Amino acid sequence: MSRAREFIPGVEKALKSRGEPAYRLAQVYNALCSGLVRDWEEATSLPKSLRAALQEEAPAAVLELTRLSRATDGTRKYLFKTHDGHLIETVLIPEKARRTVCISTQVGCPMACKFCATGLLGIKRNLKAREIAEQVFVAARDVWPERISNVVVMGMGEPMLNYKECLLALRVLNDADGFGLAARHIAVSTSGLVEKIRRFADEPEQFHLAISLHTPFEEEREEIMPVASRRSVLELMDAARYYVETTRRKLFFEYTLLAGVNDQPRHVEALAELLDHPLYHLNLLRFNWTDTGYAATPKREAKEFLHYARELGLSATLRPSRGQDIDAACGQLAAKDLRPQRATIPLSR
Ligand code: SAH
Ligand code: SF4
């Protein structure tokens, strides 16, 4: 139960001060992570008096769901307010057999990638593990009785800068006594913190990793990802090799196609040289509009880029963008304001 102790220290304290038996902590942890309660009154496995006391001392929900928007393609975006008034966003992407939740790990992000709306915000603070995991719990309640099949840490923030809390959240999501999602169905994306990539490779769980590369060329990367490029592409590739050789797991490279910037044949050719391991996979994505001066590579050219990459022997896919009409696609999360959106639906839970 050390995981529960770390995850809900406030609740543990409240239980202790009431002299509750030790097994209560496991019950409460289970009610939150598996029962998905957002109000202790819903935790019917707990005695009534305890529910009332917890309601006062350690509320079940730490995030307030402020708005839920729905895109025409079924993508949903949740806007949450933290206890100290910050706004964060979470996205649910339904596909045929999948329900993927994209979660945030920081309020804003300090990495300042030039094409990213979150990067424009700067950083306010790291999220706690409970704030990270609760985003999944809320989405899971929302899709019930369907189940969340995948979690991707690709929302607001650089997860590797909030390593400890992020990993604790992922462990709770993976924990059989917690949310119970297989590690292989959880993926983290990083802009490329090399020490943390190595550390992540050494963790016992089989979480997946994606590295945001965006260009094979050093100077170009310095231009579009100023903070991430404090480490050279070569250092990044060293860490990537360490990851695949240690874990024997596939490693994904994220590549956002920016018109005229990183979408030329010379980029494909350099990528074919750089991504020279059978476990490397190139994930192409067209730029989603943000007010940053960049433009998306046209669809046809993106497909040509993909075909050329495959021709040169790369394992590659072009991911469709989802939820653009509610600013829910990759790089668009900025929790801008509370203005009403086109497809806002009432908050029922
Ligand atoms: N901070 C982490 C994870 C969150 S961003 C990271 O950068 O990897 C998730 C992915 O969206 C990253 O690959 C990021 O580079 C990409 N992205 C950012 N802005 C984008 C945009 N406007 N269009 C498409 N992808 C974008
Ligand atoms: Fe941060 Fe990722 Fe956006 Fe870069 S792309 S600013 S690392 S959230």
Side-chain angles (χ1 to χ4, degrees):
M1 262 300 107
S2 66
R3 191 144 300 156
R5 214 164 275 147
E6 273 181 89
F7 186 60
I8 42 175
V11 176
E12 196 210 7
K13 209 169 133 217
L15 293 176
K16 268 207 173 129
S17 72
R18 281 176 52 88
E20 292 286 339
Y23 64 82
R24 285 278 185 246
L25 184 62
Q27 273 185 326
V28 171
Y29 178 69
N30 186 263
L32 274 182
C33 308
S34 177
L36 309 176
V37 305
R38 290 189 56 70
D39 182 315
W40 292 123
E41 277 312 313
E42 299 167 345
T44 45
S45 59
L46 304 176
K48 233 179 156 80
S49 62
L50 175 58
R51 282 185 253 160
L54 284 178
Q55 210 81 293
E56 286 291 307
E57 289 168 50
V62 293
L63 296 176
E64 181 194 336
L65 179 56
T66 310
R67 189 176 63 209
L68 175 47
S69 320
R70 189 157 45 183
T72 47
D73 65 8
T75 301
R76 286 170 166 231
K77 184 166 79 168
Y78 309 85
L79 178 73
F80 291 107
K81 194 188 266 183
T82 62
H83 68 91
D84 52 349
H86 292 301
L87 297 175
I88 57 161
E89 291 182 327
T90 304
V91 179
L92 172 82
I93 308 142
E95 288 158 290
K96 280 174 220 133
R98 289 181 172 204
R99 303 274 171 279
T100 301
V101 193
C102 176
I103 55 175
S104 295
T105 52
Q106 298 185 305
V107 181
C109 181
M111 301 306 283
C113 301
K114 294 251 180 83
F115 44 83
C116 173
T118 313
L120 294 177
L121 298 173
I123 175 79
K124 301 285 190 298
R125 72 166 169 87
N126 282 337
L127 293 177
K128 302 298 284 182
R130 182 133 170 233
E131 295 171 311
I132 298 170
E134 193 172 304
Q135 297 169 55
V136 179
F137 303 159
V138 170
R141 270 181 82 112
D142 194 29
V143 299
W144 184 263
E146 282 169 355
R147 308 198 123 231
I148 298 301
S149 61
N150 296 76
V151 169
V152 293
V153 187
M154 296 189 182
M156 300 167 74
E158 168 48 60
M160 296 299 185
L161 285 176
N162 187 14
Y163 193 94
K164 198 168 149 260
E165 293 296 318
C166 186
L167 198 67
L168 174 57
L170 298 190
R171 287 186 165 148
V172 167
L173 293 173
N174 173 230
D175 187 1
D177 295 324
F179 188 70
L181 184 65
R184 283 171 169 278
H185 290 206
I186 298 175
V188 177
S189 174
T190 177
S191 58
L193 277 75
V194 301
E195 290 84 1
K196 298 292 170 50
I197 291 171
R198 287 170 192 269
R199 189 167 155 196
F200 196 70
D202 291 332
E203 301 293 353
E205 292 88 359
Q206 299 199 311
F207 299 128
H208 279 296
L209 182 67
I211 296 177
S212 297
L213 184 62
H214 302 316
T215 172
F217 299 118
E218 193 61 56
E219 310 82 71
E220 279 181 14
R221 201 160 187 273
E222 280 171 28
E223 170 59 32
I224 60 180
M225 304 177 75
V227 184
S229 67
R230 278 185 195 151
R231 292 316 194 107
S232 70
V233 172
L234 284 182
E235 283 173 292
L236 188 56
M237 294 313 296
D238 273 351
R241 189 159 286 268
Y242 179 80
Y243 177 89
V244 288
E245 283 175 0
T246 308
T247 64
R248 296 274 129 213
R249 255 172 275 149
K250 228 180 190 179
L251 177 57
F252 300 88
F253 288 88
E254 304 288 301
Y255 199 102
T256 297
L257 290 164
L258 306 162
V261 176
N262 63 356
D263 60 352
Q264 304 301 304
R266 66 187 177 94
H267 291 99
V268 185
E269 287 147 19
L271 284 170
E273 299 261 310
L274 199 65
L275 304 183
D276 60 344
H277 195 288
L279 287 170
Y280 291 163
H281 181 87
L282 179 64
N283 244 336
L284 301 170
L285 179 70
R286 290 169 63 233
F287 169 74
N288 298 307
W289 189 85
T290 59
D291 196 7
T292 52
Y294 290 94
T297 300
K299 235 181 211 157
R300 226 187 83 211
E301 285 170 34
K303 281 190 181 155
E304 280 167 14
F305 194 98
L306 170 70
H307 292 146
Y308 192 28
R310 287 182 173 164
E311 226 176 274
L312 296 189
L314 286 167
S315 157
T317 39
L318 175 62
R319 252 199 299 152
S321 285
R322 302 287 307 265
Q324 278 175 315
D325 53 338
I326 53 165
D327 286 346
C330 273
Q332 293 186 323
L333 302 187
K336 276 175 270 193
D337 54 39
L338 291 169
R339 97 185 106 86
Q341 296 254 326
R342 253 166 292 165
T344 300
I345 51 181
L347 305 180
S348 53
R349 289 177 249 232

